[in-house]
Amino acid sequence: MTAPRPEPDPPVDDLDRRFRAGDDVALREAYDSYGRAVLHLATSMLANRSDAEDVTQATFVAAWLGRDTFDPAKGSLIGWLLGIGRRKVIDRMRASARETRVVETVRQLPEQAPTDPDPDRVVDRLVIADELARLPDDQRRMLELAFYDDLTHQQIATVTGVPLGTVKSHIRRGMASLKRRWEVDGAAPGPRPAGISGAR
């Protein structure tokens, strides 16, 4: 009587294997297959649909960049993606809480004694606000965080969940657009406002 043969290990899903190997097509397939599940997770935990969409994108970016840490033998790709998604949601919730605390702190500050504003400075700020409003949403948000909140590139990446390289690209393109419009409109006969150069 022969001994029974040992059961073979269950096959690893081909998509999981190809994703970990860095197959670009597998990334698209993974997004098509699991993007809605990650978005559903994000929308169930975040009140803002736009934040949920940002978290979904950040989840797949983080997963792709960290695909070497995914082990198909230990779990499915969808489970791994949802785990990353939960962490991204928590990061976004913490960032929103920090932003809310900052806003509340500013509101509670005593009002400063009124002073005569510098007309040139007021005009500059109005022109900048108008030019920012014309930029694409991503570029505008990054520049507002850099210009008004004085955040560094790394801090912006942390607060928004957007990769650092993407943050730098948005700011660089936004700055270039502002500079072109600033020069074409002739809005600034003098030097560019110092606040814009605070992006870093």
Side-chain angles (χ1 to χ4, degrees):
M1 182 176 180
T2 59
R5 295 181 180 178
E7 290 291 332
D9 293 333
V12 174
D13 185 274
D14 182 60
L15 174 59
D16 294 9
R17 179 187 58 75
R18 289 186 292 113
F19 183 93
R20 189 181 190 283
D23 184 346
D24 292 346
V25 176
L27 172 60
R28 168 54 61 184
E29 291 177 10
Y31 186 83
D32 291 342
S33 298
Y34 307 132
R36 288 189 177 183
V38 176
L39 179 61
H40 176 74
L41 168 71
T43 53
S44 68
M45 299 175 69
L46 296 169
N48 189 306
R49 169 82 181 192
S50 178
D51 284 348
E53 291 173 350
D54 288 346
V55 163
T56 300
Q57 178 181 349
T59 295
F60 278 88
V61 170
W64 184 247
L65 295 177
R67 59 187 179 275
D68 289 345
T69 64
F70 169 56
D71 186 353
K74 293 182 178 179
S76 65
L77 180 58
I78 177 60
W80 187 65
L81 288 169
L82 290 175
I84 296 174
R86 288 189 191 94
R87 292 194 293 274
K88 292 297 181 183
V89 166
I90 292 171
D91 289 345
R92 177 55 59 92
M93 293 170 70
R94 287 174 176 167
S96 297
R98 285 195 298 270
E99 291 176 358
T100 300
R101 287 196 298 271
V102 169
V103 170
E104 290 303 319
T105 299
V106 171
R107 285 177 178 171
Q108 293 172 13
L109 292 174
E111 293 186 7
Q112 296 181 351
T115 58
D116 292 333
D118 179 356
D120 289 338
R121 186 171 181 81
V122 172
V123 170
D124 284 347
R125 291 186 69 85
L126 290 174
V127 171
I128 291 170
D130 181 62
E131 295 296 347
L132 283 173
R134 301 184 194 181
L135 295 177
D137 291 343
D138 289 337
Q139 294 179 19
R140 184 179 70 249
R141 169 114 196 235
M142 302 304 166
L143 282 176
E144 286 175 343
L145 289 172
F147 178 55
Y148 294 116
D149 297 340
D150 197 29
L151 299 184
T152 65
H153 290 165
Q154 184 61 59
Q155 289 170 333
I156 293 172
T158 300
V159 167
T160 61
V162 175
L164 179 59
T166 304
V167 169
K168 291 181 178 179
S169 296
H170 284 322
I171 289 178
R172 184 168 57 251
R173 287 195 294 268
M175 292 282 288
S177 297
L178 283 179
K179 185 174 185 295
R180 284 195 301 271
R181 289 172 179 166
W182 200 261
E183 293 170 347
V184 169
D185 293 344
R192 187 176 56 185
I196 286 291
S197 63
R200 58 202 180 283

